Amino acid sequence: MNNKFPHESAEKHVTGEAVYIDDMLVNDQLLTGRVVYSPHAHAKIKSFDLSEAARVTGVHAVLSYKDIPGHNQMGPVVKDEPCLAAGEVTFVGQAMFLIAAGSEEQCIEAEKLIRVEYEPLDAVLTIERAMERGTLMGPAKNIERGDPGAALKAAPHRLRGELRTGAQEHWYLESQVCLCVPGEGREINVFSSTQHPSETQALIAELLGVGKHEVVVEVRRMGGAFGGKETQGNHTACWAALLSHATKKPVKVRLFRDDDMKITGKRHRFITRYEAGYDEEGRISAVKFDLNSDGGGAVDLSFAIMERAMLHCDNAYYMPNMSVTGRVWKTNLPSNTAFRGFGGPQGMAAIETVVDRIARALKKDPAEIRLKNYYGTNRNNITHYGEKVEHNRLFMIEEQLMISAAYGKRRDGVNQFNASNEFFKKGLAITPVKFGISFTTSFLNQAGALVLIYTDGTILVNHGGTEMGQGLHTKMHQIAAAEFGVSPARIKVNATNTSKVPNTSATAASAGADLNGMAVKNAIDILKSRIGDAVAAIFTEKYPDDPSSPEGIVFERDQISDSLHPGRTIGFADAMPLMQLRQVSLSAAGYYRTPKIGWDKKKGHGRPFHYYAFGMAVTEVLLDLLTGYHTILRADILHDVGEGIDIGQIEGGYVQGAGWCTTEEVKWDSRGNLMTHSPDTYKIPSVQDIPKDFRVALLQDVPNPDTIRRSKAVAEPPLMLALSVWLAIKDAISAVANHEFEPEFSLPATNETILLSIESLKKQVDRNLVSLPAAS
Ligand code: LUZ
Ligand code: MOS
């Protein structure tokens, strides 16, 4: 595919002409909506009084749950999330009331006059506390293979431990926003920053008590999402819809950054307990993982996220005996939600910790232990949940990357540097990624499209996926141009709209291009077949003695030609009025569902994934031992996107993952208030933090069978390449004690974590303990 094709909104982004919801032109009837949210982590609402607030000049509506015409619900899967709190609040940031007024200032004025009487209740704010209190959100799940208990006992070596991984804020540049414009009767037009327009539509319909056919949700583009708008874009949309419905006016709700950070859920933090058995060579014979996540105040996607974590705590390694248990705990915090990787990063961090610790216990380079445990090509290639690892690219990638990154030479260089520097240490790590592509909720793996050709030869492509900056519309544009054999200038990709393509899945699970690309292709195939028949008939009318057949018709270079009769050709645009005259329909709906997959959620067995995406990264860091500050000196990535093209997604994923692994720390105080609710207390990577030397390459000559243009999904997998940053930092810390002891370590590796880890390592040296205190 032509990789010089610019992103569809690149120019508009630069000139500022790209229309985000906050830029939309609305008439002077537009009202500002505001959410009034709970200041308590858990409290009974004894009484409230909105009357004074309602009297403020410019205020058009002040709403509580009592004003909801339909169901007071916005839970996407489980109906456990009231749209507005009724009777009690269960986290700081929970929506209680809504205000619509002529200006933001009037809203704020009114908010001050709302009177509420609370009775504070006991709050659960950590996973440990949730375990003590037994606040499981649902039954524990288990996936098991072999006999992990017996294999652990029989193993020559064992280790055990606990890993904590932190939450992560999505930090999409465009905060949650929705504009609702009432139509006639019960109609409502919704312009929402959502990854899931069909779900937004469904929830608004239920909330207002109208049919889905009255609700039209449109998404031109989002200013980033990363999973944060897979379900929780719905919330802001529901609030805007209620206010618009109550006032019969256009209403826009746009969350301020601080409010957005306080109200919305994050990546799930996890506590993972592990036990592993291995031999002298470092081959793992058995592992047990006990995964515990902080679900927050409601289910949201927590079970699907835990499931994906359970399906990724093998990462790239074959382990014959495995037991994985997952538990989701309810806490008094905003409901945690989808975030790029969707549990995968948490699962992979656990097994990568195990592999790294085995290497340190055996005093070997972790790279060596990894290689020994990779899934095999012809044997040892079945995962713990029964899916065969087909088209295994691990060895190909490892071999090429170790050479291109000069791993061996640089390992020597790092050792030399560390031997001669007291206050700085360098660390090096290579980590793999094997990520399963498909929604694990199998029925979600479907997509639709609606392709329209107009009689001037222009083409309008509608599909069910949403654009969040990732370039989905650009890809759909390229696919349509290639399939029709026309110049891209003929084609426009429409804003996503629920009245064009209904009942869609979220643009998520890295599957947006795979699913919608095939649906677009399907619609185009239908159109080409109809047009091909008609064009063959036109040619045949001209040459009745030597007829054209539809099989010979090709679409190339903006022409429709008979490949079996050179010279018989008609311009694509010239043909379309003829189609109209011949009463050939020029619009078609396309559809696609992923083949081959089948997953039994209950048994935890089957084939959840259509295929796997593979990648590896080598990262070198420099650590300042006095401050804990680290610099990524160099990162080499080799990633498999089939015949895809997405270098930018790989760079972005790695940097976003590096943020999760290092500086991005989400903290709440003892009353459940988010302390890190703005960029001055929450540190995402900046341009200063990206690798000084960043080398990203795509694995060559690996067409992916069975997918659109033989490409592979790319969105989520590269995020987990950043585990190499985390383990390179651990490697540098470990060098402080000459790799003799196992450092204490968790994720994120903030400066504080690093300094504490160095401190504890030095204590181990002082006490001259034997290595690996936690090993048995
Ligand atoms: N969403 C979902 C996802 O509903 N199911 C999934 O398996 C998934 N995976 C990644 C991201 N979002
Ligand atoms: Mo998702 S985490 O929006 O694929």
Side-chain angles (χ1 to χ4, degrees):
M1 224 179 264
N2 175 9
N3 54 12
K4 295 285 185 290
F5 198 96
H7 188 282
E8 50 104 26
S9 10
E11 213 177 288
K12 297 188 193 87
H13 285 157
V14 174
T15 60
E17 286 168 294
V19 177
Y20 291 87
I21 288 165
D22 209 25
D23 306 318
M24 291 183 75
L25 297 177
V26 195
N27 65 21
D28 56 9
Q29 304 265 309
L30 176 68
L31 301 179
T32 296
R34 185 173 172 85
V35 191
V36 179
Y37 55 80
S38 164
H40 291 282
H42 193 193
K44 205 168 130 189
I45 302 172
K46 289 171 70 182
S47 67
F48 62 87
D49 181 358
L50 308 179
S51 57
E52 255 184 281
R55 283 197 291 272
V56 171
T57 314
V59 168
H60 288 246
V62 184
L63 309 179
S64 75
Y65 73 95
K66 293 179 182 166
D67 304 299
I68 295 174
H71 291 150
N72 180 17
Q73 252 312 314
M74 53 182 189
V77 185
V78 176
K79 297 295 165 194
D80 65 346
E81 282 182 87
C83 179
L84 295 175
E88 67 163 359
V89 284
T90 61
F91 61 91
V92 174
Q94 184 175 7
M96 301 171 67
F97 310 110
L98 301 169
I99 305 173
S103 72
E104 196 82 54
E105 291 71 24
Q106 290 165 341
C107 286
I108 292 170
E109 181 106 350
E111 179 175 352
K112 289 182 195 149
L113 299 175
I114 292 178
R115 306 273 169 251
V116 190
E117 215 187 324
Y118 300 97
E119 181 187 324
L121 301 169
D122 195 29
V124 174
L125 300 169
T126 61
I127 297 177
E128 289 90 340
R129 187 93 179 97
M131 288 171 170
E132 281 165 30
R133 296 275 297 269
T135 65
L136 270 184
M137 265 192 187
K141 294 227 174 101
N142 179 260
I143 299 175
E144 199 160 306
R145 157 168 70 193
D147 188 345
L152 274 172
K153 268 205 198 107
H157 298 281
R158 280 186 293 277
L159 60 78
R160 63 163 79 221
E162 181 181 282
L163 175 70
R164 279 152 190 278
T165 59
Q168 186 179 20
E169 158 64 35
H170 302 82
W171 245 99
Y172 27 66
L173 278 183
E174 177 203 42
S175 59
Q176 304 279 3
V177 57
C178 180
L179 165 68
C180 289
V181 182
E184 63 176 27
R186 292 147 84 83
E187 283 172 15
I188 181 164
N189 297 295
V190 180
F191 301 91
S192 168
S193 187
T194 175
Q195 286 172 252
H196 200 343
S198 289
E199 193 168 79
T200 304
Q201 175 195 30
L203 289 169
I204 289 176
E206 283 170 33
L207 196 62
L208 299 184
V210 302
K212 288 186 189 179
H213 59 194
E214 302 281 11
V215 183
V216 178
V217 178
E218 180 164 310
V219 183
R220 176 75 264 179
R221 59 171 66 76
M222 285 165 273
F226 309 114
K229 297 170 182 173
E230 186 170 337
T231 59
Q232 301 200 355
N234 297 333
H235 300 182
T236 300
C238 285
W239 300 325
L242 274 179
L243 285 170
S244 178
H245 180 269
T247 58
K248 305 276 175 260
K249 287 181 188 297
V251 177
K252 181 165 67 189
V253 178
R254 175 189 22 72
L255 300 186
F256 288 139
R257 176 67 58 188
D258 289 57
D259 290 338
D260 186 306
M261 291 179 81
K262 288 178 194 170
I263 291 174
T264 64
K266 317 267 169 271
R267 184 189 294 290
H268 291 66
R269 40 179 184 173
F270 270 55
I271 296 178
T272 299
R273 293 173 182 152
Y274 56 84
E275 210 177 332
Y278 57 98
D279 65 13
E280 299 296 339
E281 297 292 304
R283 274 199 192 81
I284 306 172
S285 53
V287 282
K288 265 190 181 176
F289 285 115
D290 207 341
L291 303 167
N292 296 280
S293 74
D294 176 357
V299 170
D300 189 274
L301 297 172
S302 294
F303 289 113
I305 289 161
M306 177 53 78
E307 181 176 53
R308 188 169 279 275
M310 293 169 72
L311 299 181
H312 284 81
C313 58
D314 58 338
N315 194 8
Y317 310 108
Y318 174 74
M319 294 166 284
N321 300 285
M322 250 179 117
S323 171
V324 186
T325 306
R327 291 182 181 85
V328 181
W329 300 93
K330 185 169 172 155
T331 59
N332 291 105
L333 292 170
S335 181
N336 288 317
T337 191
F339 194 144
R340 197 174 189 177
F342 205 76
Q346 295 94 323
M348 286 186 197
I351 182 61
E352 289 303 334
T353 293
V354 168
V355 174
D356 189 88
R357 285 194 56 186
I358 290 172
R360 295 190 189 282
L362 296 173
K363 309 245 182 292
K364 294 197 167 151
D365 188 326
E368 210 182 297
I369 307 301
R370 293 201 156 81
L371 185 58
K372 285 207 175 104
N373 286 289
Y374 286 148
Y375 277 107
T377 309
N378 299 310
R379 49 191 286 275
N380 297 345
N381 58 359
I382 309 285
T383 62
H384 54 299
Y385 47 89
E387 177 156 353
K388 186 171 168 190
V389 181
E390 292 176 333
H391 309 290
N392 183 345
R393 309 294 189 206
L394 292 164
F395 296 97
M396 208 176 181
I397 295 176
E398 144 94 21
E399 199 179 314
Q400 293 180 26
L401 185 62
M402 290 297 263
I403 294 167
S404 63
Y407 186 92
K409 206 174 114 206
R410 285 169 64 207
R411 171 58 73 193
D412 293 343
V414 163
N415 289 343
Q416 275 168 25
F417 178 93
N418 290 341
S420 53
N421 280 278
E422 195 183 346
F423 298 115
F424 288 90
K425 297 289 176 194
K426 284 185 178 178
L428 188 66
I430 179 171
T431 57
V433 165
K434 168 188 125 289
F435 194 82
I437 303 300
S438 291
F439 287 93
T440 56
T441 302
S442 298
F443 82 88
L444 295 174
N445 296 291
Q446 57 176 316
L450 175 66
V451 177
L452 318 174
I453 310 173
Y454 295 98
T455 50
D456 64 352
T458 62
I459 299 163
L460 188 63
V461 173
N462 297 275
H463 63 88
T466 55
E467 175 64 37
M468 54 195 98
Q470 85 279 43
L472 179 60
H473 285 346
T474 310
K475 277 193 182 173
M476 297 304 107
H477 198 148
Q478 287 173 292
I479 287 165
E483 296 295 329
F484 270 130
V486 300
S487 80
R490 266 189 205 296
I491 298 170
K492 181 178 156 153
V493 179
N494 218 10
T496 315
N497 188 303
T498 54
S499 68
K500 301 291 193 297
V501 181
N503 312 320
T504 55
S505 296
T507 305
S510 305
D514 278 22
L515 299 175
N516 293 285
M518 283 300 217
V520 167
K521 180 176 184 303
N522 177 238
I524 293 173
D525 286 344
I526 294 167
L527 287 166
K528 279 164 69 177
S529 158
R530 275 186 215 149
I531 295 166
D533 288 352
V535 167
I538 291 171
F539 291 153
T540 299
E541 281 162 25
K542 238 179 160 180
Y543 308 99
D545 298 338
D546 184 10
S548 281
S549 128
E551 284 76 62
I553 301 296
V554 291
F555 291 69
E556 288 170 352
R557 281 166 284 141
D558 275 298
Q559 289 175 330
I560 307 171
S561 314
D562 181 350
S563 59
L564 305 175
H565 294 87
R568 294 186 191 176
T569 188
I570 181 169
F572 183 87
D574 295 334
M576 294 310 129
L578 302 179
M579 297 300 113
Q580 170 91 335
L581 287 172
R582 286 171 176 259
Q583 298 174 305
V584 175
S585 163
L586 290 178
S587 70
Y591 181 77
Y592 175 73
R593 60 170 170 264
T594 306
K596 295 180 184 169
I597 51 176
W599 171 239
D600 187 332
K601 264 188 198 297
K602 287 227 171 71
K603 286 200 190 116
H605 194 89
R607 178 175 182 171
F609 303 122
H610 189 199
Y611 60 88
Y612 295 100
F614 299 94
M616 279 185 209
V618 173
T619 299
E620 183 177 347
V621 299
L622 176 67
L623 191 61
D624 178 339
L625 302 186
L626 298 180
T627 62
Y629 184 81
H630 78 276
T631 308
I632 304 177
L633 297 175
R634 176 171 159 186
D636 294 67
I637 292 172
L638 186 55
H639 198 79
D640 164 26
V641 288
E643 290 188 351
I645 53 172
D646 315 68
I647 288 187
Q649 280 275 47
I650 297 168
E651 293 170 340
Y654 174 90
V655 172
Q656 190 168 39
W660 175 61
C661 287
T662 60
T663 61
E664 293 187 42
E665 188 175 33
V666 181
K667 277 194 162 177
W668 292 269
D669 71 11
S670 61
R671 308 179 69 166
N673 295 296
L674 181 66
M675 296 161 79
T676 49
H677 54 75
S678 74
D680 56 2
T681 46
Y682 185 75
K683 175 71 181 82
I684 60 170
S686 73
V687 70
Q688 304 287 347
D689 302 309
I690 66 174
K692 302 295 165 220
D693 184 355
F694 204 177
R695 308 184 190 194
V696 178
L698 305 178
L699 188 65
Q700 296 299 306
D701 304 318
V702 282
N704 195 26
D706 272 356
T707 50
I708 187 73
R709 303 252 131 200
R710 296 169 298 282
S711 67
K712 265 191 188 179
V714 68
E716 297 175 285
L719 184 132
M720 286 146 277
L721 295 170
L723 288 167
S724 62
V725 179
W726 184 59
L727 291 178
I729 292 173
K730 185 179 172 194
D731 189 50
I733 295 172
S734 170
V736 171
N738 206 20
H739 305 291
E740 294 290 330
F741 301 95
E742 172 68 27
E744 281 173 23
F745 205 50
S746 58
L747 188 158
T750 58
N751 294 23
E752 291 87 341
T753 303
I754 290 168
L755 290 177
L756 288 170
S757 175
I758 294 170
E759 191 105 330
S760 82
L761 202 55
K762 284 183 173 161
K763 276 189 193 137
Q764 287 186 57
V765 175
D766 289 346
R767 280 192 250 120
N768 200 14
L769 294 176
V770 226
S771 60
L772 292 175
S776 50

